[in-house]
């Protein structure tokens, strides 16, 4: 797959080039980004806010009604409390649901030195650092023309890859056909809220028989720089198509809003495959557990057609509280669902994550590999459901959940649910909990590794099965990311 | 009328005749339990612990039994063959003609006779927090009281038999068992019944002293119309060994909870369970072990075999508290589905707050191995016999290491269920 874009192998430019690019920033001052900055809603949520958002985005009537329906449902719902995480109450009336994008920094010199140091450790190419730190991302990317080139190429193949707002304008029939079919507006509290107030996100449509030649990433979609706290993603892979989608990046991201409630919907038709990879490294709060992002996300894919395939891979190292279950509904015969996850909690971080595999069609198979690493005072929970419906003859599932504990005060919990209603199903669930043994450490250190390197080597070995599912350059970064995130957890 | 209101009314009319009515502390405790029940209510589907088991059948049909009101002598209770010491209760009411106690040096009595002495021990188990525990405290009238003094080894199993008569009664049974330091004893707690509908709500509080060895075999073999909610709350002191086997065969719906608190270092807990389900039966086995201190060991081995449109639920929890280093805990849940309409829900859970521990669990759901079936068929066994043997081999594992006196009887229960006679 040589034609794929490669984040790390793009020609790296020196600081001088970055400066030059940043100097050109003026040209972009009157671009679409500035347009939006004039509109800010005061905090609060009622119907008028939703009408405002919808009007602002010039949405058709049906979408406004859809939002209002979601809002009405949300008002009747109660915030769930069964999860194994605790966080301060969220005041939904204190949030501004239509805020101007974060003000761009003028140059890389304004970036927090701590973040720059992390970039260095992660080995992020110089010209990307500015973009990641929030320095006028559009300028950077346009200058190297990566995004534009890609867009042309995708367009030639008939692939639609744009913001969801653009999709609503340009391809309303597609959006209307699929939006909310995988995650209904009433699915859960946060999905309902998202449906009512989402402001942006990505839309992907891969036509029949097309194999997307490159990994799609929000990274390359210029106006995705600030997707806001209520992101909405919809990916449709038509018959016999293939797409690999990357969400997030390894660089630390300082989001402004504490609550992030995104919804991601995937639809795979007959013989189609969607591979969705996430690396999440949002602000986890300080060492004493103050601040940090609440990452409450609903992600679900439907394997609609026979032999369709959806694969979720996630590396979750950031956020104060992570609470998400990327799931697969396996409707088509012989369809396949996969979930590979590495979640790391350090200091006071909490994560309650896992997956749901809902087998409805004959011969459906699913694989779950979850690796949880808990350090400091981190609390880590795997929670998952494997459900085999009465018609899912010969369904097959294998689940493996392993936890690694680093320290006396952390916790690792496993709450799987298995629901089988067909005798021909074969399921296995395995889980283990362990710590790094003195013997392992001694062995590695005896061979000249420092304690920190030894631990990081062992942790990487522990996560290997998941990392091998990541696109190559992502995997390299993910490995380094674990090292950085574990700093201070050893010794 | 809701079930909660029904039982409150029943309490109001029965209060003067309930066992221990003259004890102020007990009256206070019963009323507090009723208030707690009224505030939490019986669990619904949104209660995570009861997600897969409905209690809608509870309604207001069942009349709580009290010794003074219902002697239960008008019903014929078949003679139960046994060589063991035993206490027999009919619809929760002690039946002297069926009972006998001969073992020297131990106390085996109906609870209602000793209530005045057990203020500290009744409800002494921290696990008894749910709605059915509250109902039991409010309305319990009798049960077995067993005290095995320190250093005493009881040779034969002590049998506790509970007969439901199928006449719409609600038997709130409470058993209090204590085995002193270094003591040894085996208990066979079994629930049987005559055809018809009744509700058993049984709690066994078992306290195991330092270095003591206890085996409790709990057989639920009620008649098919019965509803059975049972709880076993175990507290183990240092270096004790407790084995609890929960076998659920009868009843329309059975929910059995085994909850163990490991409170002293070096304790070992071996918990096994077997559900055999047929027709529309619903078996829910719930087991939770909490390692409160370090260097304890626990093993959970649970199996279910489900035929027709029977439903099996298994929830297994291993909890390891902060500081409980050196814990070794394992859990396995294996389920065998013999029919397309049978279903199983299984939740193998771990909650771990310490790092120097070993904890593992495994769960499987599947059908009989076709290769193994083929192998047996090839050796001339009928299909039915071959299936029975394989199913028996699957189920039998929960009897491993069982008291020899009881193992044979439990094996017979499995063969009887398989309906194919003993394999010779």
């Amino acid at each position: 797959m040589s034609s794929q874009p490669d984040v790390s192998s793009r020609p790296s430019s020196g600081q001088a080039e970055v400066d030059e690019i940043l100097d050109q920033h003026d040209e972009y001052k009157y671009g679409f980004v500035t347009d939006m900055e004039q509109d800010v809603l005061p905090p609060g949520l009622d119907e008028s806010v939703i009408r405002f958002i919808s009007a602002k985005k010039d949405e058709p009537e049906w979408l406004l009604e859809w939002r209002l329906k979601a809002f009405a449902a949300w008002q009747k719902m109660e915030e769930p409390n069964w999860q194994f995480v605790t966080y301060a109450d969220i005041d939904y009336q204190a949030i501004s649901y239509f805020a101007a994008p974060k003000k761009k920094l003028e140059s890389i010199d304004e970036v927090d030195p701590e973040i720059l140091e992390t970039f260095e450790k992660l080995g992020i190419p110089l010209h990307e650092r500015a973009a990641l730190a929030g320095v006028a991302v559009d300028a950077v990317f346009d200058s190297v023309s990566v995004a534009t080139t890609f867009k042309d190429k995708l367009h030639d193949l008939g692939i639609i890859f744009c913001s969801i707002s653009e999709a609503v304008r340009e391809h309303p029939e597609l959006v209307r056909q699929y939006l909310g079919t995988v995650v209904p507006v009433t699915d859960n509290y946060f999905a309902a809220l998202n449906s009512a107030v989402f402001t942006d996100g990505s839309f992907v449509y891969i036509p029949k028989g097309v194999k997307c030649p490159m990994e799609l990433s929000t990274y390359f979609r210029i106006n995705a720089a600030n997707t806001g706290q209520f992101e909405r993603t919809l990916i449709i892979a038509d018959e016999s198509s293939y797409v690999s989608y990357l969400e997030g990046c390894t660089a630390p991201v300082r989001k402004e809003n504490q609550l992030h409630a995104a919804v991601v919907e995937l639809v795979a038709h007959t013989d189609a495959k969607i591979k969705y990879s996430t690396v999440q490294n949002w602000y986890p709060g300080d060492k004493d557990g103050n601040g940090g992002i609440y990452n409450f996300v609903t992600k679900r894919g439907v394997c609609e057609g026979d032999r369709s395939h959806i694969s979720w891979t996630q590396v979750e190292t950031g956020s104060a509280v992570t609470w998400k279950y990327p799931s697969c509904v396996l409707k088509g015969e012989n369809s396949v669902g996969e979930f590979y996850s590495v979640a790391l909690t350090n200091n006071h971080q909490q994560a309650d994550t896992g997956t749901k595999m809902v087998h409805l069609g004959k011969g459906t198979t699913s694989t779950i590999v979850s690796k949880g690493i808990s350090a400091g005072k981190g609390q880590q929970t795997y929670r998952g459901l494997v459900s085999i419906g009465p018609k899912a003859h010969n369904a097959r599932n294998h689940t493996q959940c392993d936890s690694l504990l680093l320290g006396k005060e952390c916790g690792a919990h496993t709450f799987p649910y298995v629901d089988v209603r067909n005798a021909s199903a074969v399921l296995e669930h395995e889980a283990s909990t362990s710590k790094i043994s003195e013997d392992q450490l001694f062995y590695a250190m005896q061979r000249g590794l420092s304690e920190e390197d030894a631990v990081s080597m062992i942790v990487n070995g522990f996560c290997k099965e998941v990392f091998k599912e990541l696109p190559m350059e992502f995997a390299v970064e993910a490995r380094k990311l674990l090292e950085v995130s574990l700093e201070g957890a050893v010794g | 009328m809701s079930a909660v209101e029904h039982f409150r009314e029943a309490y109001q009319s029965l209060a003067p005749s309930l066992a221990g009515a003259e004890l102020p502390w007990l009256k206070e405790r019963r009323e507090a339990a009723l208030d707690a029940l009224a505030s939490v209510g019986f669990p619904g589907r949104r209660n995570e612990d009861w997600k897969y088991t409905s209690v809608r059948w509870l309604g207001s049909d069942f009349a709580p039994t009290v010794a003074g009101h219902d002697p239960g002598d008008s019903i014929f209770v078949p003679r139960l063959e046994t060589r063991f010491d035993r206490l027999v209760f009919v619809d929760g009411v002690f039946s002297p003609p069926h009972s006998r106690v001969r073992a020297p040096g131990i106390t085996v009595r109906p609870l209602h006779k000793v209530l005045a002495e057990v203020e500290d021990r009744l409800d002494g188990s921290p696990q008894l927090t749910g709605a059915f525990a509250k109902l039991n405290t409010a309305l319990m009238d009798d049960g077995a009281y067993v005290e095995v003094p320190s250093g005493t080894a009881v040779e034969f199993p002590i049998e506790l038999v509970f007969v439901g008569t199928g006449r719409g009664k609600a038997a709130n049974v409470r058993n209090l068992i204590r085995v002193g330091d270094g003591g040894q004893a085996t208990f066979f707690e079994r629930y049987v019944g005559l055809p018809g509908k009744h509700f058993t709500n049984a709690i066994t509080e078992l306290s195991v002293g330092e270095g003591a060895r206890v085996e409790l075999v709990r057989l639920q073999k009620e008649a098919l119309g019965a509803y059975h909610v049972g709880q076993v709350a175990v507290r183990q002191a240092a270096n004790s060994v407790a084995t609890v086997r929960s076998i659920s065969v009868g009843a329309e719906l059975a929910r059995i909870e085994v909850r163990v608190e490991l409170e002293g270092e070096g304790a070992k807990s071996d918990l096994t369970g077997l559900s055999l389900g047929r027709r529309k039966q619903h078996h829910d086995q719930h087991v939770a072990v909490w390692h409160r201190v370090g260097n304890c060991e626990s093993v959970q081995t649970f199996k279910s075999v489900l035929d027709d449109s029977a439903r099996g639920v298994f929830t297994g929890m291993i909890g390891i508290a902060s500081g409980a280093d050196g814990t070794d805990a394992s859990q396995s849940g294996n389920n065998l589905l013999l029919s397309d309409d049978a279903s199983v829900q299984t939740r193998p859970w771990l909650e771990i707050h310490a790092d120097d521990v070993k904890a593992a669990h495994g769960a499987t759901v599947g059908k009989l191995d076709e290769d193994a079936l083929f192998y047996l068929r090839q050796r001339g066994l009928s299909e039915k016999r071959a299936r029975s043997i394989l199913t028996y081999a699957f189920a039998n594992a929960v009897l491993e290491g069982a008291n020899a006196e009881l193992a044979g009887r439990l094996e017979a229960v499995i063969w009887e269920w398989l309906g194919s006679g003993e394999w010779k």
Side-chain angles (χ1 to χ4, degrees):
Chain A
M1 295 207 277
S2 56
S3 61
Q4 285 178 358
D6 183 335
V7 176
S8 56
S9 66
R10 262 177 286 143
S12 85
S13 38
Q15 184 63 46
E17 280 177 72
V18 174
D19 290 342
E20 196 188 325
I21 290 157
L22 295 173
D23 287 341
Q24 295 166 2
H25 182 221
D26 283 351
E27 288 179 38
Y28 294 84
K29 201 156 62 182
Y30 301 106
F32 56 84
V33 173
T34 33
D35 278 346
M36 290 174 65
E37 272 176 1
Q38 297 163 0
D39 300 305
V40 182
L41 269 183
L45 181 56
D46 56 24
E47 262 194 42
S48 69
V49 168
I50 290 158
R51 287 178 192 283
F52 176 88
I53 294 172
S54 192
K56 208 72 216 164
K57 304 186 88 61
D58 214 1
E59 286 175 355
E61 188 60 26
W62 65 264
L63 189 52
L64 172 63
E65 273 165 26
W66 190 82
R67 284 175 182 276
L68 291 173
K69 202 176 110 197
F71 181 63
W74 179 75
Q75 282 177 306
K76 290 193 199 100
M77 294 166 102
E78 273 178 43
E79 200 174 331
N81 60 5
W82 45 260
Q83 75 285 12
F84 207 93
V85 297
T86 51
Y87 54 90
D89 286 344
I90 298 167
D91 182 354
Y92 295 93
Q93 296 301 331
I95 296 170
S96 171
Y97 291 84
F98 198 86
K102 186 175 170 181
K103 198 175 179 315
K104 298 286 175 206
L105 299 175
E106 294 296 318
S107 90
I108 197 141
D109 299 334
E110 292 176 30
V111 177
D112 184 346
E114 205 181 305
I115 290 190
L116 289 179
E117 197 186 317
T118 315
F119 285 168
E120 188 66 44
K121 287 177 191 159
L122 289 170
I124 289 173
L126 275 177
H127 66 276
E128 286 172 18
R129 295 185 190 179
L132 293 169
V135 183
V137 66
D138 39 352
V140 176
F141 282 122
D142 266 9
S143 64
V144 290
S145 293
V146 181
T148 337
T149 324
F150 287 172
K151 274 206 152 176
D152 290 346
K153 206 165 170 183
L154 295 176
H155 186 260
D156 291 345
L157 289 166
I159 294 171
I160 304 168
F161 179 38
C162 60
S163 76
I164 199 138
S165 318
E166 197 182 326
V168 168
R169 285 193 304 273
E170 308 290 327
H171 311 280
E173 70 299 336
L174 276 175
V175 178
R176 192 170 184 181
Q177 187 183 345
Y178 290 104
L179 189 70
T181 56
V182 184
V183 179
V185 293
T186 52
D187 189 77
N188 68 67
Y189 189 79
F190 296 103
L193 178 63
N194 175 289
S195 303
V197 302
F198 74 90
T199 42
D200 220 329
S202 304
F203 177 84
V204 177
Y205 174 81
I206 314 288
K208 281 183 190 174
V210 173
K211 195 168 183 307
C212 185
M214 61 193 70
E215 264 139 6
L216 297 184
S217 165
T218 43
Y219 219 56
F220 299 120
R221 197 166 54 66
I222 292 166
N223 51 1
N226 190 335
T227 46
Q229 64 185 131
F230 300 102
E231 194 175 349
R232 185 98 197 177
T233 301
L234 176 57
I235 300 177
I236 301 141
D238 216 325
E239 287 174 25
S240 304
S241 65
Y242 168 84
V243 62
S244 168
Y245 186 89
L246 311 182
E247 180 198 24
C249 55
T250 49
V253 176
R254 294 257 166 126
K255 297 261 180 181
E256 282 171 293
N257 304 298
Q258 188 156 44
L259 171 67
H260 281 258
V263 172
V264 177
E265 298 179 282
L266 311 182
V267 181
H269 287 287
T270 307
D271 290 311
K273 177 170 180 182
I274 302 176
K275 186 171 167 60
Y276 193 106
S277 312
T278 306
V279 172
Q280 183 263 113
N281 187 21
W282 293 347
Y283 184 53
D286 66 15
K287 287 194 172 60
D288 301 316
N290 301 313
I293 307 291
Y294 299 162
N295 184 22
F296 301 163
V297 180
T298 308
K299 288 183 169 176
R300 193 176 304 152
V302 176
C303 283
E304 194 70 55
D306 295 351
R307 296 170 303 280
S308 53
H309 187 152
I310 289 180
S311 175
W312 297 98
T313 306
Q314 61 172 24
V315 176
E316 302 278 334
T317 59
S319 296
V321 184
T322 298
W323 183 12
K324 60 182 260 197
Y325 314 96
S327 306
C328 298
V329 179
L330 305 170
K331 271 192 196 166
E333 285 185 18
N334 298 313
S335 57
V336 179
E338 292 172 322
F339 175 75
Y340 300 94
S341 168
V342 166
L344 181 141
T345 49
N346 196 356
N347 298 320
H348 287 262
Q349 280 178 278
Q350 307 172 69
D352 190 325
T353 183
T355 184
K356 291 182 187 181
M357 292 291 173
V358 181
H359 293 252
L360 300 176
K362 285 180 192 160
T364 46
T365 56
S366 62
T367 305
I368 300 171
V369 177
S370 166
K371 305 280 182 179
I373 302 153
S374 211
K377 290 182 173 152
Q379 293 292 327
Q380 172 96 220
T381 303
Y382 169 82
R383 188 188 302 275
L385 167 72
V386 177
S387 150
I388 312 282
K391 290 177 185 160
H393 297 289
N394 297 315
R396 186 88 176 78
N397 165 267
H398 181 80
T399 301
Q400 189 187 333
C401 308
D402 297 318
S403 306
L404 191 63
L405 291 148
L406 305 170
K408 291 275 168 219
E409 291 171 280
C410 54
H413 320 298
T414 316
F415 300 126
Y417 292 63
V418 179
D419 187 341
V420 181
R421 291 160 199 271
N422 186 302
S424 63
V426 180
L427 281 93
E428 290 135 20
H429 177 102
E430 289 172 57
S432 74
T433 301
S434 55
K435 65 167 196 166
I436 296 176
S437 76
E438 294 298 324
D439 291 353
Q440 286 171 324
L441 266 187
F442 178 74
Y443 181 88
M445 286 169 73
Q446 209 193 21
R447 268 143 192 80
L449 293 176
S450 70
E451 186 176 7
E452 209 151 71
D453 287 345
V455 167
S456 123
M457 184 183 77
I458 293 165
V459 169
N460 272 308
F462 176 75
C463 301
K464 204 171 154 190
E465 277 171 276
V466 175
F467 286 166
K468 77 174 171 29
E469 296 297 325
L470 285 170
M472 202 260 288
E473 64 278 3
F474 239 32
V476 174
E477 290 180 31
R479 217 165 285 156
K480 287 187 187 145
L481 176 61
L482 275 196
E483 279 170 33
V484 174
S485 306
L486 273 174
E487 267 178 14
V490 186
Chain B
M1 194 190 309
S2 77
V4 172
E5 288 163 13
H6 162 69
F7 287 116
R8 188 184 275 282
E9 273 189 13
Y11 171 79
Q12 271 146 11
S13 66
L14 294 175
S17 41
L18 278 170
E22 70 288 357
L23 303 169
W25 64 265
L26 186 54
K27 181 167 186 279
E28 210 171 280
R29 209 176 282 184
R30 288 184 190 276
E31 284 169 8
L34 271 178
D35 290 343
L37 177 61
S39 75
V40 298
F42 284 103
R45 284 287 158 101
R46 293 186 73 87
N47 181 321
E48 221 31 43
D49 258 8
W50 287 79
K51 191 179 171 74
Y52 297 117
T53 299
S54 161
V55 297
R56 268 178 306 182
W57 47 268
L58 196 54
S60 52
D61 298 345
F62 300 106
T65 51
V66 172
H69 272 214
D70 182 10
D73 55 6
S74 59
I75 194 112
F76 170 73
V77 176
R79 192 175 151 67
L80 302 156
E81 283 304 323
T82 181
R83 299 190 289 126
F84 311 144
D85 282 354
R86 71 179 175 204
L87 296 181
V88 176
F89 299 81
V90 178
D91 281 339
V93 175
F94 182 56
S95 171
H98 295 97
S99 307
R100 66 170 174 193
V101 177
R102 289 175 310 186
I106 61 170
T107 310
V108 180
R109 304 188 69 185
L111 181 67
H112 77 267
K113 300 266 194 206
V114 294
L115 271 174
E117 300 155 34
V118 298
E119 179 176 357
D120 295 341
R121 290 180 45 205
L122 192 78
D123 284 335
S125 313
Q127 302 99 313
L128 298 177
T129 54
F132 287 92
K134 299 297 167 204
L135 174 66
N136 187 290
T137 299
L139 286 163
M140 58 106 197
D141 189 56
D142 212 348
Y145 173 84
V146 182
E147 176 91 38
V148 176
S150 295
T152 305
V154 186
E155 191 184 353
F156 289 110
I158 298 161
E159 194 174 13
L160 312 170
V161 187
F162 302 86
V163 185
T165 62
R167 295 181 301 169
K169 303 296 182 193
N172 289 286
V173 172
R174 176 71 61 107
N175 302 312
L176 275 189
I177 304 177
R178 177 158 67 186
V179 178
D181 296 349
Q184 286 187 32
T186 303
F187 301 92
F188 186 25
E189 178 182 332
R190 60 193 184 106
Y191 296 82
V192 293
L194 306 176
K197 187 173 170 182
H198 64 260
F199 164 43
T200 303
N201 180 27
I203 291 177
T204 298
E205 294 187 69
L206 171 62
S207 155
V208 185
E210 269 190 44
R213 301 179 73 90
V214 177
E215 178 171 355
L216 172 68
V217 175
R218 188 185 197 283
L219 173 64
Q220 183 280 111
K221 199 167 176 286
E222 304 230 38
L224 277 179
Y227 292 85
H228 183 101
V229 176
Q231 299 179 63
V232 179
V234 185
R235 302 179 73 171
Q236 286 187 244
N239 300 314
S240 62
V241 179
T243 303
V244 180
R245 301 179 201 277
S246 167
I247 293 144
S248 186
V249 187
E252 185 77 23
L253 179 145
R255 154 86 171 202
I256 296 148
E257 298 180 9
V258 176
R259 296 178 184 272
V260 178
E261 295 279 313
L262 294 168
E263 298 172 342
E265 292 214 359
K268 188 182 173 206
S269 193
D270 187 3
L271 311 172
T272 69
L274 174 65
S275 297
L276 299 173
R278 198 167 267 151
R279 299 196 227 182
K280 290 191 160 188
Q281 279 184 296
H282 181 111
H283 291 291
D284 180 351
Q285 298 244 25
H286 195 108
V287 56
V289 178
W290 267 99
H291 288 256
R292 300 289 175 197
V293 296
N295 302 314
C296 292
E297 191 184 334
S298 69
V299 183
Q300 302 174 15
T301 312
F302 278 73
K303 307 234 176 193
S304 65
V305 181
L306 303 160
D307 204 349
D308 301 332
S309 48
R311 192 163 170 200
V313 181
F314 169 66
T315 307
M317 164 72 100
I318 296 173
I320 302 177
S322 178
D325 289 329
T327 291
D328 186 349
S330 71
Q331 173 192 81
S332 73
N334 307 108
N335 303 279
L336 184 59
L337 298 180
L338 300 178
S339 135
D340 269 350
D341 294 326
S343 64
V344 64
Q345 280 96 28
T346 177
R347 301 185 292 182
W349 288 356
L350 302 174
E351 188 177 328
I352 298 169
H353 299 273
D355 75 333
D356 192 6
V357 301
K358 274 200 277 184
H361 66 187
T364 62
V365 180
K367 52 186 177 177
L368 287 176
D369 181 0
E370 293 295 332
D371 289 348
L373 265 180
F374 178 74
Y375 180 88
L376 290 179
R377 294 280 284 127
Q378 213 192 19
R379 266 143 193 80
L381 296 181
S382 71
E383 165 117 21
K384 186 168 192 284
R385 177 48 63 95
R387 285 186 177 278
S388 290
I389 290 170
L390 289 175
T391 308
Y392 177 81
F394 173 84
N396 184 45
V398 303
L399 304 183
E400 202 173 303
N403 175 292
E405 298 275 354
L406 299 180
R409 294 172 70 160
L410 297 173
E411 282 166 15
V413 168
I414 301 175
W415 281 118
E416 185 195 337
W417 186 83
L418 287 167
S420 52
E422 195 170 341
W423 167 245
K424 297 218 168 61

